[in-house]
Amino acid sequence: MKTPQVRSELPLALVETAFLASTASLGWLASFYLGLTPVLRLFLPIPLALATRRWGPRWGWMGLATTFLLLSVLMGPPRGLAYICRYGLLAVLLGDHWRRGTGWGATVAQGMVVGTVGFFGQVAILSVLLGENLWVYLTNQATQVLEWLVERLGILVQPEVTWIRGATVVLVMVNSAIYTFVVQLVAWALLARLTTPVPPPPAWLQTWLGLDA
């Protein structure tokens, strides 16, 4: 049986989650149609992460589903799935870790995994839509560019596709880890004055930023 306090929080959780899902959708729309992805991509996971941080993973998943439905109506299901792969899953993960007070190391490590899976998920979705394996296409193009560069430099090395694909995966993982770290830092700076702060940065980062003074 639900307590009166829980029942009284349900309308607020519903309204906030719907508002934050709309904010995430508008951010994705602006980044796509206005070409603001380089600027907004650091903020795109934060609305749904905040919903998860405030009300728990259940509401985070509900917000993610709402965002997908909104984007599917406005931009089509593929764009909705693209947001989920690149930002939505990471947002729910971050919000859950913020709610539990998980340290930055574990959050970044798991965010790296989720971001890498999301990247290849998006590649798979685009491959299905275009009828072509984009992963093979991208690695073949990278191989040709590298072969041309090696030939011009006079280096007697033949690039292997397997090594190039492995290096690409590593680069995607490193990029996902850096992205998760920066998003965590941006969220900490934005939400520090709210009633739902995120875990503080590690001691070495606070020292480097001069926050321990």
Coordinates of all heavy atoms in Angstrom, one line a residue, residues 11 38 45 78 85 115-116 122 136 139 166 202:
P11 N 2.3 13.1 -9.0 CA 2.0 14.1 -10.0 C 3.3 15.0 -10.3 O 3.5 15.3 -11.4 CB 0.9 15.0 -9.3 CG 0.3 14.1 -8.3 CD 1.4 13.2 -7.8
P38 N 27.8 20.2 -32.0 CA 29.1 20.4 -31.2 C 28.9 21.2 -29.9 O 29.7 21.0 -29.0 CB 30.0 21.2 -32.2 CG 29.5 20.8 -33.6 CD 28.0 20.7 -33.4
P45 N 22.4 14.7 -22.7 CA 22.0 13.6 -21.7 C 21.5 14.2 -20.4 O 20.9 13.4 -19.6 CB 23.3 12.8 -21.5 CG 24.2 13.3 -22.5 CD 23.8 14.7 -22.9
P78 N 13.8 6.5 -36.7 CA 15.2 6.3 -36.8 C 16.0 7.4 -36.0 O 16.9 7.1 -35.3 CB 15.6 6.4 -38.3 CG 14.3 6.0 -38.9 CD 13.2 6.5 -38.1
C85 N 20.4 5.7 -28.6 CA 21.7 5.1 -28.7 C 22.8 6.0 -28.2 O 23.7 5.6 -27.5 CB 22.0 4.6 -30.1 SG 20.9 3.2 -30.6
G115 N 28.4 4.1 -24.0 CA 28.7 5.0 -25.2 C 29.2 4.2 -26.4 O 28.8 4.5 -27.5
T116 N 30.1 3.3 -26.1 CA 30.6 2.5 -27.2 C 29.5 1.6 -27.9 O 29.4 1.5 -29.1 CB 31.7 1.6 -26.7 OG1 32.8 2.4 -26.2 CG2 32.3 0.8 -27.9
Q122 N 24.0 2.8 -33.2 CA 23.6 3.8 -34.2 C 24.1 3.5 -35.6 O 23.4 3.6 -36.6 CB 24.1 5.2 -33.8 CG 23.6 6.3 -34.7 CD 24.1 7.7 -34.3 OE1 25.0 7.8 -33.5 NE2 23.4 8.7 -34.7
V136 N 31.8 -1.7 -42.3 CA 32.7 -2.2 -43.3 C 33.2 -1.0 -44.2 O 34.3 -0.9 -44.6 CB 32.1 -3.3 -44.1 CG1 33.1 -3.7 -45.2 CG2 31.9 -4.5 -43.2
T139 N 35.6 1.4 -42.3 CA 36.9 0.8 -42.1 C 37.7 0.7 -43.4 O 38.9 0.9 -43.5 CB 36.8 -0.5 -41.4 OG1 35.9 -1.4 -42.1 CG2 36.4 -0.4 -40.0
G166 N 40.3 -2.7 -35.0 CA 40.6 -2.7 -33.6 C 41.0 -1.3 -33.1 O 40.5 -0.9 -32.0
P202 N 36.7 13.9 -8.1 CA 37.7 13.4 -7.3 C 38.7 14.5 -6.8 O 38.7 15.5 -7.3 CB 38.4 12.4 -8.2 CG 38.0 12.8 -9.6 CD 36.7 13.4 -9.5

